């Protein structure tokens, strides 16, 4: 009972925060001095990117816990988080590209390490999900994807390091993102991140519940199947 | 009284939604020649893999030589031998090199002497330096037997050992089993064929629906084949 | 240690006994470099700029042919359980195979480099630096490649899954930095110039080997 109440509270807050955040981003904050209204996508871009990092962090921690305890519920959390994470990551990249076009005139720029790391993360998510799709049994699916998510997690900061090495020895001129953040904009940004965090948690709760129901259904099916023979 | 070599209690194993072993209980005493029967798909191979520590069980206790098997108990593996219808041999290496490799893995002493004597025993000494890829199936199985016992294990597990063996190889196998058994080695084999191997066993059991449902010892063996047929009929209900 | 040595020698024997293997590697190297050569023949390009990426992409994709059978072959030949039965740790298996694979891929890369310098009339840079950076980068490719190969050998469509899993974790870490450093070498840098970058990549290698060593248990116990 308490669990259900808590869940509804989270869902409720998610809706409220998201609505407020949209208001803040689109209406409340002033237009950017140089970029104009296009800059508003920045709030959701940054929030999406942050949440995708959070999601992968959760996947990483859940994978570690799974390998230690061998309890499937950790594996369920790990991959549910990855499924949601890749959505936010995709959103982050698309919004980032749209923003980049307006600021730098190009959709993509390799030197910007934030874009770079988000792309690597996106590829790791895809590889992780492809791995799960091709696993041969429930245990191997859980074991192998847990190991891979740990490897992937370790490779994210390493790829950041690799990018920095490349930058250091092949310096290019990076156009700065331009302008400092006004107080109202900072507030809108923080709120966007908050709203997206709640959105992530809501989606995660729903996804994990769906998976649990699926497993229950499978067990019942198997019992029935045994009786029919 | 005989020393307990192996004790398995409440072994459960599922593959996904398929429950293969539903609470298997088994004890093996030193010097036993235990043969386990069961229809195809009954879970015999799964059980023998769990008992020989290749595969972990989902739940249950397994004790070998008085020590409980947990993940990563390496030392106990030195006392276990396993022969399956897969020969575990490298086709690119010669018979000698294959046995040498396993000697290195098991830290066998006096390698050269041991390899030589085993190759002679299984009748492959004249082909010591030929690539295993060129061997017939019967020869591979004979070499696999040599590989299985090269480290002088105390318990030897055999998974359908007679499959693919010609008469000569079957005799070599039986003689080897009896000879080693007299030295105190314990044997556990599984098969679905009630004809072969039954004579040399001192204990027999039947695996059905994930459990060992029937066991006999010694003289009661005569009733076994009929009981086996009854149980098999029961499975299709 | 005994186990590592035994597996190392066994891997090399199995690999080199297969006489077709050496020929295949030679031909593979030839095909990869030739493809690049002809692809680039239709455009004007600055050879020194492209030398490094061509070389490393050749190493990467050529290396994958050697990486994929490391664990898959044990499963296909049925020898996997023989290794699991023995009183050796998974880490020994991992190290033994890793070291053997390192040697094999070094040989392959030697072929690729020789053929590369034949096909592409680029000025030969400081050999010592080149060998150093190729070695350091290769250790990274092989160590991570081995662990990913162990993972992919347990999946269906393992041939496809190997590059799918390898690209995100390898390309943007070791390969990218190695390409960067090697292009410096082709532009005329010497060992001292590249030492700092090379040390970073070496650090990556150590991390990959450590991660592989720690996680191999969970992969092989399947």
């Amino acid at each position: 009972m308490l669990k259900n109440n808590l869940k509804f509270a989270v869902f409720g807050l998610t809706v409220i925060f998201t609505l407020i955040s949209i208001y803040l981003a689109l209406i409340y904050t002033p237009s950017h001095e140089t970029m104009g209204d296009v800059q508003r996508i920045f709030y959701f871009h940054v929030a999406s990117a942050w949440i995708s990092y959070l999601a992968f962090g959760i996947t990483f921690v859940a994978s570690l816990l799974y390998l230690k305890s061998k309890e499937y519920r950790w594996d369920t959390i790990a991959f549910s988080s990855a499924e949601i994470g890749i959505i936010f990551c995709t959103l982050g990249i698309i919004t980032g590209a749209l923003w980049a076009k307006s600021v730098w005139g190009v959709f993509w720029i390799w030197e910007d390490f934030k874009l770079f790391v988000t792309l690597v993360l996106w590829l790791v998510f895809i590889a992780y999900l492809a791995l799960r799709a091709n696993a041969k049994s429930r245990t191997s699916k859980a074991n192998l994807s847990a190991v891979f998510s740990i490897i992937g997690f370790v490779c994210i900061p390493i790829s950041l390091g690799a990018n920095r090495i490349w930058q250091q020895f092949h310096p290019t001129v990076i156009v700065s993102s331009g302008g400092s953040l006004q107080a109202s904009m900072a507030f809108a940004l923080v709120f966007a991140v908050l709203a997206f965090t709640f959105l992530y948690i809501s989606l995660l709760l729903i996804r994990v519940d769906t998976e649990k129901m699926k497993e229950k259904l499978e067990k019942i099916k198997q019992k029935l199947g045994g009786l029919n023979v | 009284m005989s020393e307990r070599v192996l004790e398995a209690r409440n072994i459960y194993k599922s593959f996904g939604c398929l429950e293969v072993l539903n609470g298997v209980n088994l004890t093996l005493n030193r010097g036993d020649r235990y043969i386990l029967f069961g229809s195809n798909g009954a879970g015999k191979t799964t059980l023998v893999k769990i008992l020989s520590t290749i595969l972990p069980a989902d739940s249950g206790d397994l004790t070998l030589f008085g020590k409980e098997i947990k993940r990563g108990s390496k030392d106990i593996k030195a006392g276990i031998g396993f022969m399956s219808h897969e020969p575990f041999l490298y086709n690119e290496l010669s018979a000698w090199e294959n046995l040498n490799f396993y000697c290195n893995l098991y830290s066998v002493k006096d390698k050269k002497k041991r390899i030589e004597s085993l190759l002679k025993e299984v009748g492959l000494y004249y082909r010591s330096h030929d690539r295993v890829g060129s061997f017939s199936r019967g020869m591979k199985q004979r070499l696999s037997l040599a590989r299985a016992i090269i480290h002088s294990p105390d318990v030897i597990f055999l998974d359908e050992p007679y499959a693919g063996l010609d008469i000569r190889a079957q005799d070599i196998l039986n003689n080897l089993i009896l000879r080693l058994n007299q030295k105190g080695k314990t044997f556990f084999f599984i098969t679905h064929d009630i004809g072969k191997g039954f004579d040399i066993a001192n204990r027999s059991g039947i695996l059905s629906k994930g459990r060992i449902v029937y066991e006999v010892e010694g003289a009661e063996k005569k009733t076994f084949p009929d009981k086996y047929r009854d149980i098999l009929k029961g499975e299709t209900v | 240690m005994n186990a590592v040595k035994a597996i190392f020698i066994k891997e090399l024997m199995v690999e080199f006994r297969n006489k077709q293997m050496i020929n295949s590697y030679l031909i593979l190297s030839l095909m990869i470099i030739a493809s690049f050569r002809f692809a680039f023949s239709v455009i004007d390009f600055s050879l020194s700029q492209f030398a490094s990426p061509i070389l490393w992409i050749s190493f990467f994709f050529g290396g994958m042919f050697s990486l994929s059978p490391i664990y898959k072959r044990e499963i296909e030949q049925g020898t996997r359980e023989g290794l699991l039965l023995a009183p050796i740790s998974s880490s020994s298996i991992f190290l033994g195979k890793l070291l053997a694979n390192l040697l094999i891929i070094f040989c392959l890369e030697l072929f690729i480099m020789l053929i590369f310098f034949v096909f592409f009339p680029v000025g030969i840079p400081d050999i010592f630096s080149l060998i150093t950076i190729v070695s350091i980068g290769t250790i990274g490719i092989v160590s991570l490649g081995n662990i990913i190969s162990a993972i992919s050998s347990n999946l269906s469509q393992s041939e496809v899954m190997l590059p799918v899993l390898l690209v995100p974790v390898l390309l943007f870490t070791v390969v990218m930095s190695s390409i960067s450093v090697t292009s410096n070498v082709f532009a005329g840098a010497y060992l001292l110039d590249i030492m700092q970058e090379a040390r970073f990549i070496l650090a990556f290698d150590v991390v990959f080997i450590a991660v592989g060593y720690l996680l191999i248990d969970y992969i092989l116990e399947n």
Side-chain angles (χ1 to χ4, degrees):
Chain A
M1 258 301 106
L2 179 62
K3 242 182 157 186
N4 275 336
N5 284 341
L6 209 61
K7 277 184 200 164
F8 283 124
V10 169
F11 295 154
L13 283 174
T14 302
V15 174
I16 296 173
F17 284 150
T18 309
L19 289 171
I20 296 180
S21 171
I22 294 174
Y23 166 75
L24 284 177
L26 297 180
I27 300 170
Y28 176 74
T29 51
S31 286
H32 192 262
E33 44 199 27
T34 42
M35 288 187 262
D37 279 326
V38 145
Q39 179 268 347
R40 294 180 191 275
I41 205 174
F42 159 81
Y43 302 112
F44 300 113
H45 160 67
V46 173
S48 302
W50 271 114
I51 298 307
S52 69
Y53 303 150
L54 172 69
F56 194 56
I58 300 284
T59 301
F60 170 67
V61 171
S63 295
L64 284 173
L65 287 168
Y66 167 75
L67 286 181
K68 205 156 193 235
S69 69
K70 289 298 159 94
E71 288 169 30
Y72 282 150
R73 63 188 174 119
W74 292 119
D75 177 60
T76 305
I77 293 177
F79 92 82
S80 303
S81 186
E83 285 186 348
I84 300 168
I86 195 176
I87 298 174
F88 281 104
C89 198
T90 313
L91 279 171
I93 291 181
I94 294 175
T95 52
L98 290 172
W99 188 36
K101 180 80 174 144
S102 64
V103 174
W104 296 315
V106 283
F107 280 113
W108 191 261
I109 183 168
W110 284 102
E111 286 81 1
D112 179 54
F113 63 82
K114 298 188 295 294
L115 275 174
F116 177 76
V117 164
T118 314
L119 178 71
V120 177
L121 180 61
W122 188 71
L123 289 173
V124 171
F125 270 136
I126 289 188
Y128 176 86
L129 294 172
L131 189 160
R132 291 193 71 96
N134 280 301
K136 287 185 177 166
S137 74
R138 183 78 182 88
T139 0
S140 82
K141 186 185 282 197
N143 282 348
L144 297 177
S145 59
V147 170
F148 184 74
S149 82
I150 294 172
I151 295 175
F153 188 81
V154 167
C155 284
I156 301 286
I158 292 184
S159 69
L160 185 61
N163 189 285
R164 297 305 291 272
I165 296 175
W166 172 51
Q167 294 268 52
Q168 198 183 351
F169 294 92
H170 296 255
T172 47
V173 178
I174 304 177
V175 180
S176 85
S177 329
S180 55
L181 227 48
Q182 292 177 9
S184 60
M185 290 176 165
F187 179 66
L189 179 62
V190 167
F191 218 88
V193 174
L194 182 68
F196 270 37
T197 309
F198 268 86
L199 183 59
Y200 162 75
I201 296 174
S202 303
L203 289 170
L204 187 65
L205 287 171
I206 296 174
R207 187 67 187 88
V208 171
D209 274 345
T210 311
E211 196 58 34
K212 281 193 185 145
M213 284 192 267
K214 225 187 187 182
E215 281 175 8
K216 267 192 192 160
L217 197 63
E218 279 301 317
K219 282 207 177 112
I220 297 175
K221 266 188 191 169
Q222 201 221 345
K223 283 209 176 113
L224 286 178
L227 286 176
N228 274 339
V229 164
Chain B
M1 203 47 234
S2 283
E3 171 197 335
R4 241 183 220 172
V5 161
L6 180 149
E7 192 161 346
R9 263 199 298 259
N10 285 328
I11 303 286
Y12 281 84
K13 182 73 180 174
S14 306
F15 291 110
C17 295
L18 187 67
E19 285 173 348
V20 177
L21 299 176
N22 285 323
V24 171
N25 292 295
L26 176 74
T27 53
L28 284 180
N29 300 315
R30 181 174 291 283
D32 269 349
R33 299 176 304 280
Y34 190 113
I35 192 159
L36 184 70
F37 293 95
S39 53
N40 283 328
K44 305 190 300 297
T45 301
T46 309
L47 179 61
V48 79
K49 282 188 179 168
I50 289 177
L51 295 178
S52 58
T53 73
I54 296 179
L55 205 61
D58 288 342
S59 67
D61 300 311
L62 180 64
T63 310
L64 271 161
F65 312 120
K67 296 198 194 106
E68 214 183 309
I69 304 288
K70 288 190 191 36
R71 175 169 290 124
S73 1
K74 283 189 322 179
D75 320 297
I76 300 189
K77 294 191 192 230
I80 298 173
F82 185 81
M83 181 186 160
S84 128
H85 42 272
E86 292 276 12
F88 301 165
L89 298 169
Y90 294 93
N91 286 329
E92 294 86 358
L93 305 184
S94 71
W96 185 282
E97 285 162 349
N98 266 289
L99 293 182
N100 189 44
F101 172 64
Y102 282 103
C103 281
N104 286 332
L105 291 188
Y106 285 93
S107 306
V108 170
K109 304 207 168 57
D110 278 331
K111 277 188 306 185
K112 195 158 172 279
K113 244 175 51 177
R114 183 104 180 109
I115 297 174
E116 224 178 82
S117 78
L118 272 177
L119 281 173
K120 284 183 181 147
E121 181 139 18
V122 298
L124 285 172
Y125 187 65
Y126 68 106
R127 297 290 297 266
S128 298
H129 300 291
D130 291 342
R131 280 179 32 152
V132 168
S134 64
F135 283 11
S136 69
R137 173 148 180 84
M139 290 162 79
K140 281 187 189 169
Q141 284 293 82
R142 281 189 270 149
L143 185 60
S144 177
L145 179 60
R147 174 207 52 78
I149 60 174
I150 195 143
H151 52 290
S152 309
D154 291 312
V155 187
I156 298 146
F157 297 92
L158 302 149
D159 180 350
E160 306 276 5
Y162 299 103
L165 289 190
D166 53 32
I167 295 288
R168 180 184 167 203
Q170 283 177 28
D171 286 338
I172 292 178
L173 177 59
N174 281 340
N175 288 336
L176 205 70
I177 291 174
L178 290 169
R179 190 174 62 77
L180 289 173
N181 189 239
Q182 272 166 359
K183 288 192 189 160
K185 310 288 186 189
T186 311
F187 284 86
F188 179 88
F189 22 157
I190 62 172
T191 179
H192 67 274
D193 186 343
I194 203 168
K196 304 191 178 99
F198 192 57
D199 297 319
I200 64 170
N202 72 328
R203 287 174 66 198
S204 324
I206 300 175
L207 186 71
S208 174
K209 293 186 182 157
R211 284 208 187 93
I212 294 184
V213 295
Y214 185 66
E215 274 187 338
V216 283
E217 237 171 296
E220 297 165 50
K221 282 199 306 188
K222 290 193 208 102
T223 59
F224 197 83
D226 295 316
K227 186 74 184 176
Y228 187 38
R229 254 175 239 117
D230 289 336
I231 291 176
L232 285 184
K233 275 202 207 114
E235 276 176 0
T236 58
V237 165
Chain C
M1 260 314 113
N2 209 13
V4 174
K5 206 172 81 172
I7 292 176
F8 172 70
I9 295 174
K10 186 266 296 179
E11 289 287 312
L12 288 179
M13 287 206 294
V14 167
E15 187 80 26
F16 287 114
R17 282 289 170 82
N18 209 341
K19 285 212 177 65
Q20 296 134 346
M21 207 52 105
I22 300 182
N23 287 338
S24 309
Y25 280 158
L26 251 168
I27 296 173
L28 178 69
S29 313
L30 189 67
M31 292 300 167
I32 295 177
I33 298 293
S35 311
F36 275 117
R37 187 70 187 92
F38 292 118
F40 278 97
S41 67
V42 295
I43 60 168
D44 288 326
F45 70 102
S46 147
L47 186 58
S48 53
Q49 258 194 318
F50 284 100
S52 175
I54 290 174
L55 213 52
W56 279 101
I57 295 299
S58 306
F59 290 159
F60 183 69
F61 283 103
M64 260 201 282
F65 284 100
S66 175
L67 285 173
S68 86
I70 300 174
Y71 289 92
K72 191 99 181 99
R73 192 166 42 200
E74 305 274 359
I75 297 177
E76 282 166 358
Q77 277 208 347
T79 47
R80 176 176 166 267
E81 271 141 6
L83 290 175
L84 291 178
L85 263 174
I88 58 176
S89 61
S90 306
S91 323
S92 313
I93 301 177
F94 175 64
L95 276 177
K97 284 177 178 285
L98 178 70
L99 292 170
N101 192 236
L102 204 55
L103 201 65
I104 294 167
I105 289 196
F106 273 139
C107 292
L108 174 66
E109 290 183 344
L110 209 65
F111 288 154
I112 292 180
M113 280 198 284
L114 287 170
I115 297 176
F116 173 81
F117 283 119
V118 165
F119 271 68
F120 288 91
V122 65
I124 297 187
D126 176 35
I127 288 292
F128 200 50
S129 316
L130 186 63
I131 300 282
T132 305
I133 185 60
V134 166
S135 310
I136 294 178
T138 303
I139 294 175
I141 293 180
V142 169
S143 49
L144 202 53
N146 263 252
I147 192 128
I148 298 289
S149 171
I151 293 177
S152 70
S153 64
N154 285 311
L155 303 171
S156 42
Q157 301 189 86
S158 58
E159 299 294 330
V160 171
M161 286 312 294
L162 178 62
V164 166
L165 296 180
L166 210 48
V167 162
V169 294
L170 202 53
L171 219 57
F172 299 97
T173 52
V174 168
V175 177
M176 206 182 87
S177 9
S178 301
I179 292 179
S180 156
V181 174
T182 311
S183 69
N184 277 343
V185 171
F186 272 103
Y190 286 92
L191 195 59
L192 280 168
D193 304 321
I194 63 165
M195 241 12 247
Q196 204 186 352
E197 287 174 278
R199 265 205 293 262
F200 270 112
I201 305 179
L202 200 58
F204 298 163
D205 294 348
V206 170
V207 169
F208 290 151
I209 295 178
V211 166
Y213 192 83
L214 292 170
L215 295 177
I216 189 72
D217 262 319
Y218 298 103
I219 304 173
L220 291 183
E221 73 180 16
N222 284 319

